[in-house]
Amino acid sequence: MRRTGIWIAVLLLSSCTKEGDTIYKPDPNEEQASTAPLVTVIYGDNSLGDRSYCDMIYEGVERTAQELGLRTMQLSPQSTEEGLRYLELMMRQMEAAQDSVRRLFVVTSPVYDEYLRTNSNRLAKNANADLLYLETRTPLPGKGSTFFMPYYGAMFEAGAMMPALGERVMLIGANRQEQAIVDAIQGFTDGWNADMTSVIGRTKKYLATTYIDETGEGGYEIADSTAMRLIHQWNDDEISNIVPICGGAFNTFWRMNEVEMRGMCIVGVDKEYRNSRSHLSVVKRIDQAVVRCIHQWLSSEGMPKHQSLGLASGFTEVIRTYSDHSELYPIETLEELNEEKLKEIHETALRKEEEHER
């Protein structure tokens, strides 16, 4: 029966001119256009390849696509202007789309915030199109979902533990404009100043903060020579630990610090880093968060209008990498960071994040 139906379709689609010339006769073996749901991701300029936040998003999307049989298109424009052109093209295509293919647009950078808030209502014309905007505390005014991953709690926890591991710390932020960076800096600083752990047998603790891009929205890339110059400067100032909250620039500091024989310890940020020069990693499981949202999108309930995924829900976390090299630490340090103290710090961080978000 199925074979008969196919051949009827072929006959109906074949037609001839009055002269008997065949206009079109489809090949039954020809591959048909896919109707699988399509996930399109638009990054900030030159963001992919950071071996950090954006690469984690990429991996999460591709992993989910393979699991669920989705199609993907991941766009990393060379400039913000090019990214805006991509967004406008997508909006126009959605307004004109006549098919029933489900499409999800994931926008990963705050540089597109104004455009999204002005144009998100245009997606209302297509019931099969959805938008997910990372990361913002403020829901979109029109169609589309948002989520925010508060980093304050995990950074508070790391900052509270840090005095027992290193007494002179330099916090490095990408810029002062992105709320996630500001919150992370504030969380670490508040944890450090909470005096929940002691400096073991050392001088008075010291914490300083600097930004790679003082005036703009960048700071996620840094030249090798600039990173090395800063490392030399901080070594001369007797900085013992650096905490780079700056996306892909983290990896530059990491590489240059490995080259520098007097290298400092580095707190891993966003991803987990493990070696003898890493006390802690403060991870942001953005890949898992995106996977969760895609599953929600395909469910009957759909994605929530807005959601917050932080320390309490396990999407941010402090990994104690010093445990891999406990023989390098004084016994007093390990006794200071006992399980009872770590539990107290974690519970305090949960409470502080809730207060901060509220």
Side-chain angles (χ1 to χ4, degrees):
M1 180 68 70
R2 181 175 297 174
R3 180 176 296 174
T4 303
I6 292 174
W7 282 109
I8 289 173
V10 170
L11 290 171
L12 289 173
L13 288 170
S14 301
S15 62
C16 302
T17 64
K18 291 181 180 179
E19 291 75 24
D21 298 324
T22 301
I23 296 176
Y24 173 63
K25 185 174 182 179
D27 182 354
N29 298 316
E30 181 180 335
E31 185 177 351
Q32 301 299 306
S34 175
T35 58
L38 173 64
V39 178
T40 300
V41 188
I42 300 180
Y43 297 89
D45 53 286
N46 296 307
S47 294
L48 276 181
D50 65 355
R51 291 183 291 174
S52 185
Y53 183 85
C54 291
D55 283 8
M56 291 167 69
I57 294 173
Y58 180 93
E59 292 163 6
V61 169
E62 293 302 320
R63 189 166 66 244
T64 311
Q66 186 172 24
E67 173 195 351
L68 301 178
L70 311 177
R71 294 176 295 152
T72 66
M73 181 165 58
Q74 307 222 34
L75 305 173
S76 184
Q78 296 184 355
S79 66
T80 300
E81 292 71 25
E82 184 176 58
L84 288 169
R85 288 195 294 271
Y86 286 157
L87 277 171
E88 178 59 24
L89 177 62
M90 296 299 169
M91 285 290 182
R92 290 180 181 178
Q93 288 179 343
M94 288 306 90
E95 288 177 306
Q98 300 295 318
D99 58 40
S100 59
V101 175
R102 296 196 63 183
R103 293 174 171 87
L104 173 65
F105 297 106
V106 183
V107 182
T108 70
S109 174
V111 299
Y112 306 124
D113 187 89
E114 182 179 357
Y115 178 90
L116 292 175
R117 297 191 183 282
T118 304
N119 292 276
S120 61
N121 60 325
R122 292 165 61 183
L123 289 177
K125 298 179 180 180
N126 187 339
N128 296 308
D130 290 283
L131 170 66
L132 174 62
Y133 176 30
L134 331 175
E135 295 179 48
T136 176
R137 281 194 175 92
T138 310
L140 291 169
K143 187 175 181 179
S145 298
T146 53
F147 79 66
F148 188 74
M149 298 185 72
Y151 225 179
Y152 181 92
M155 281 292 175
F156 181 100
E157 186 171 342
M161 295 170 61
M162 197 65 199
L165 297 165
E167 79 281 15
R168 294 182 64 83
V169 176
M170 179 64 69
L171 269 173
I172 310 163
N175 61 69
R176 300 176 185 269
Q177 311 304 317
E178 187 166 342
Q179 191 62 47
I181 298 293
V182 174
D183 285 351
I185 295 283
Q186 188 64 57
F188 191 95
T189 303
D190 290 349
W192 174 272
N193 291 330
D195 293 327
M196 299 189 71
T197 55
S198 305
V199 176
I200 305 294
R202 304 187 184 100
T203 58
K204 185 177 180 181
K205 66 181 185 180
Y206 170 83
L207 175 68
T209 302
T210 188
Y211 293 89
I212 298 175
D213 186 346
E214 283 284 355
T215 58
E217 298 179 338
Y220 297 102
E221 297 179 0
I222 189 170
D224 288 2
S225 57
T226 303
M228 183 62 81
R229 176 177 56 79
L230 290 171
I231 287 172
H232 283 162
Q233 176 186 321
W234 295 330
N235 266 317
D236 291 342
D237 294 338
E238 298 184 336
I239 296 297
S240 57
N241 297 266
I242 60 175
V243 187
I245 309 171
C246 46
F250 174 94
N251 294 284
T252 307
F253 283 115
W254 184 276
R255 282 189 297 104
M256 293 301 100
N257 192 57
E258 292 295 298
V259 171
E260 178 56 50
M261 294 303 293
R262 299 173 298 163
M264 298 166 285
C265 284
I266 297 184
V267 171
V269 177
D270 287 346
K271 293 185 72 172
E272 187 174 333
Y273 292 84
R274 288 183 179 271
N275 70 12
S276 59
R277 291 181 180 172
S278 175
H279 303 305
L280 306 168
S281 287
V282 190
V283 299
K284 178 178 275 194
R285 304 193 187 283
I286 184 65
D287 54 337
Q288 296 181 15
V290 171
V291 169
R292 172 188 174 121
C293 288
I294 294 174
H295 278 269
Q296 290 173 335
W297 170 59
L298 293 172
S299 72
S300 57
E301 294 82 13
M303 289 184 294
K305 182 67 176 174
H306 181 78
Q307 52 191 321
S308 181
L309 305 172
L311 189 63
S313 53
F315 284 89
T316 64
E317 184 181 2
V318 177
I319 306 294
R320 303 194 297 272
T321 49
Y322 66 80
S323 302
D324 297 346
H325 307 279
S326 57
E327 71 280 0
L328 300 178
Y329 295 88
I331 188 65
E332 295 86 356
T333 294
L334 301 178
E335 288 176 349
E336 175 79 0
L337 296 173
N338 59 64
E339 287 303 315
E340 183 179 353
K341 173 62 71 174
L342 293 172
K343 181 180 179 181
E344 177 191 358
I345 291 173
H346 180 68
E347 291 176 350
T348 302
L350 287 170
R351 186 177 71 255
K352 291 290 187 181
E353 181 167 90
E354 183 180 0
E355 292 172 358
H356 183 265
E357 290 304 299
R358 186 168 61 241

